[in-house]
Amino acid sequence: MELFLKIANKGTIEYMLLGAGTSLMVAIFSLFFGSVLGLVSAAMKMSKSKILRGIATVYVEIFRGTPMMLQIMIFYLCGPIFTKFLFGFVYTPNPIIVGIFAVSINSGAYITELFRAAIQSIDKGQWEASKTIGLNYFETMRYVILPQSLKRILPPFVNEFIVLIKDSSLLSTIGAVELLQTATVLGGKYYNYLIPLSMAAVMYLVMTLTIAHFARKLERRLAESD
Amino acid sequence: MIKAEHISKYFDKFKAIDDVSLHVKKGEVICIIGPSGSGKSTLIRCLNGLESPEEGTVTVNGTVLDYKKPNDVTKICSQIGFVFQHFNLFPHMTVLDNLTLGPVVAQKLDKAECEKRAVELLRRVGLEEKKDAYPSQLSGGQKQRVAIARALIQAPEVILFDEPTSALDPEMIGEVLEVMKELAEAGMTLLVVTHEMGFARKVASRVIFMDEGHIVEDNTPSEIFDNPKSDRLVDFLSKVIHM
């Protein structure tokens, strides 16, 4: 107990909360950019053009088929080499920005499949009815298909958000100061890993359980119009 | 108004309709009857661009449908109302929004004006008080009447019905047929795929009997029902009219 109070003082808790904030921010940004990417690539995957379908399929398969940690490392460690080769300049990568970039692209691959499955689960009669009242493809998507898909996508989407909060811990490997990183730093400082790591676990749980709780509430609200 | 000339439609190897020609004139009430799989639904789906026939042409108000330009087809065919067997209302919208979506979004008309028209049409099908309900709160018959109102708000010159009562409980069929009969009496051009022989006999001005992708007979209701010429029609009628 005495040891716990010594380690869990105001300064360390603030430090870790800052780390938790960074984790949350990485997850939110990645979910946002991943959704944009996922929506575009889902539309490509369902398009009539073989080339667009091909590009989207290659993207999804590559990023779902390799470890996220590897992807993060390639973007962080090899990014400057690529830009030198392609555009002739190098830069010093910021681990958080590169991390958001990598996690977004990875998440986009998973979200592609979420969107595709949800959109294709809508009865084709909805497309036909939209056509008979004169809506074109984009209008049908915007007003008829997506609103119904979003309701179906919500549960796996929240799940993806929770996964991203946990996966953001992988950014500690490239030195981003997120929640796990703050815990290991404190562990090294106090020669005690049990307490900071346990505190990190509690903070992760608070975040993930809170999100799951609100998601359930929202789902129930949305279910009312069914 | 709508003219189909020598159209054929294949589903893989299966020829759903085979060299069919049909001319729908203004004010006609045409019922299409025939056994399942005879191509009735496919035929009317070809007439408003939901299916594209591999052979032949469909002409709507003087314009030949060009299936390579789907947006043009949609635009032309939105002048044709279509009522589905399974209603296909938009479940996430209120009845009122179901009606106004087309005119407001596709035709860019004024929303308040459209809502006024929508309420009038709902009154016409007897569902004014349901304007704020969601489709899931309606009975099958009510859903189909909303679907008819949704077709009417496009101000169509002709409405196609694809087995509008086949998915309904028996006690709800009457209310839908009644609305259709009123439309016919008001001079609307209707093309109805149906198994309701009583409706075809009483309301139609022309009945078409289809079998195996062909139009076998095309005549007045009394000729079709009282004086069938082909063996297949005789056989079909003996099976569907039980008493």
Side-chain angles (χ1 to χ4, degrees):
Chain A
M1 191 63 203
E2 208 175 304
L3 186 65
F4 177 78
L5 289 177
K6 190 183 155 223
I7 294 177
N9 59 37
K10 192 159 169 263
T12 57
I13 288 177
E14 266 173 14
Y15 178 57
M16 287 187 78
L17 283 177
L18 225 59
T22 304
S23 294
L24 194 62
M25 187 189 77
V26 168
I28 289 171
F29 276 107
S30 303
L31 190 69
F32 175 75
F33 293 122
S35 304
V36 175
L37 259 176
L39 188 57
V40 172
S41 117
M44 283 166 69
K45 247 195 147 173
M46 290 180 294
S47 86
K48 288 197 186 99
S49 150
K50 258 194 183 147
I51 298 168
L52 291 182
R53 274 207 316 263
I55 295 171
T57 305
V58 168
Y59 160 63
V60 169
E61 296 308 328
I62 286 181
F63 284 90
R64 289 202 312 182
T66 55
M68 194 193 236
M69 179 107 95
L70 173 76
Q71 293 162 18
I72 292 169
M73 287 184 158
I74 286 182
F75 281 115
Y76 185 69
L77 300 172
C78 311
I81 300 172
F82 284 135
T83 56
K84 176 145 196 245
F85 184 67
L86 291 172
F87 309 109
F89 71 93
V90 288
Y91 62 95
T92 316
N94 173 317
I96 292 184
I97 290 173
V98 173
I100 290 174
F101 188 77
V103 177
S104 300
I105 291 179
N106 177 281
S107 178
Y110 285 93
I111 293 175
T112 298
E113 291 301 312
L114 295 189
F115 273 120
R116 193 187 56 77
I119 288 170
Q120 288 183 341
S121 73
I122 304 296
D123 179 38
K124 79 177 196 329
Q126 296 286 310
W127 285 97
E128 292 185 345
S130 306
K131 204 171 168 186
T132 63
I133 59 168
L135 302 188
N136 63 30
Y137 176 84
F138 289 103
E139 288 162 349
T140 306
M141 268 290 183
R142 160 78 182 78
Y143 293 98
V144 178
I145 305 300
L146 283 181
Q148 293 182 62
S149 314
L150 287 181
K151 215 189 252 184
R152 295 186 191 181
I153 217 175
L154 188 71
F157 200 69
V158 171
N159 192 43
E160 179 69 15
F161 188 26
I162 290 172
V163 167
L164 287 181
I165 288 180
K166 295 186 289 179
D167 282 355
S168 67
S169 62
L170 292 173
L171 300 191
S172 60
T173 56
I174 56 170
V177 187
E178 43 66 68
L179 183 50
L180 182 63
Q181 178 80 346
T182 60
T184 50
V185 166
L186 288 174
K189 185 177 166 195
Y190 290 100
Y191 300 108
N192 179 316
Y193 281 94
L194 178 65
I195 291 169
L197 287 178
S198 309
M199 284 164 62
V202 170
M203 289 186 188
Y204 276 118
L205 273 174
V206 168
M207 288 193 277
T208 54
L209 293 180
T210 311
I211 291 163
H213 173 74
F214 282 111
R216 266 198 302 277
K217 267 197 167 162
L218 185 62
E219 242 173 84
R220 233 173 290 149
R221 269 250 314 270
L222 287 176
E224 275 168 18
S225 71
D226 278 339
Chain B
M1 184 174 274
I2 306 182
K3 205 191 260 174
E5 282 165 303
H6 302 290
I7 58 170
S8 295
K9 171 75 194 170
Y10 296 84
F11 292 114
D12 292 328
K13 289 273 159 58
F14 177 70
K15 208 167 188 179
I17 48 178
D18 184 4
D19 192 25
V20 167
S21 297
L22 172 67
H23 188 184
V24 182
K25 296 184 209 74
K26 199 166 171 51
E28 280 191 306
V29 177
I30 304 176
C31 280
I32 304 179
I33 60 171
S36 330
S38 57
K40 312 179 292 289
S41 294
T42 309
L43 174 60
I44 68 163
R45 287 166 60 86
C46 283
L47 298 184
N48 82 330
L50 285 177
E51 304 285 356
S52 45
E54 278 81 15
E55 292 158 20
T57 55
V58 175
T59 312
V60 176
N61 285 333
T63 316
V64 177
L65 298 186
D66 179 358
Y67 300 101
K68 290 190 196 78
K69 296 176 185 155
N71 281 346
D72 290 359
V73 171
T74 303
K75 207 160 196 180
I76 294 164
C77 292
S78 65
Q79 301 157 7
I80 302 173
F82 199 95
V83 175
F84 297 86
Q85 180 178 356
H86 295 287
F87 331 122
N88 294 347
L89 296 177
F90 307 124
H92 59 301
M93 293 181 185
T94 62
V95 165
L96 196 65
D97 289 342
N98 263 278
L99 264 65
T100 56
L101 182 67
V104 171
V105 170
Q107 299 175 43
K108 318 266 182 279
L109 299 178
D110 177 57
K111 186 146 197 250
E113 196 61 34
C114 292
E115 285 182 355
K116 226 172 82 190
R117 262 178 57 68
V119 172
E120 274 167 35
L121 287 169
L122 286 173
R123 188 177 310 143
R124 187 161 160 192
V125 299
L127 288 171
E128 193 190 354
E129 77 282 8
K130 295 285 186 193
K131 67 182 171 68
D132 297 317
Y134 283 92
S136 59
Q137 298 164 313
L138 304 178
S139 72
Q142 291 171 330
K143 281 183 197 163
Q144 197 58 298
R145 285 187 280 154
V146 171
I148 292 172
R150 182 174 69 178
L152 284 171
I153 201 167
Q154 301 288 117
E157 293 182 51
V158 50
I159 304 184
L160 313 181
F161 290 83
D162 187 5
E163 303 199 22
T165 57
S166 298
L168 298 179
D169 291 334
E171 74 269 25
M172 307 198 169
I173 291 174
E175 61 190 77
V176 172
L177 292 180
E178 191 56 39
V179 170
M180 291 164 65
K181 186 163 160 256
E182 277 163 24
L183 289 177
E185 282 161 359
M188 176 68 82
T189 312
L190 304 179
L191 192 55
V192 186
V193 171
T194 187
H195 294 296
E196 295 296 326
M197 296 303 148
F199 180 82
R201 182 192 277 267
K202 274 189 224 121
V203 182
S205 61
R206 182 176 162 196
V207 177
I208 289 171
F209 171 64
M210 281 188 79
D211 193 23
E212 291 177 350
H214 299 278
I215 291 182
V216 180
E217 288 195 38
D218 179 349
N219 220 321
T220 59
S222 55
E223 279 295 306
I224 289 277
F225 290 108
D226 301 330
N227 190 16
K229 304 216 169 34
S230 59
D231 296 340
R232 280 190 283 184
L233 179 52
V234 173
D235 181 48
F236 174 72
L237 290 175
S238 72
K239 281 175 187 153
V240 293
I241 299 172
H242 311 285
M243 288 182 221

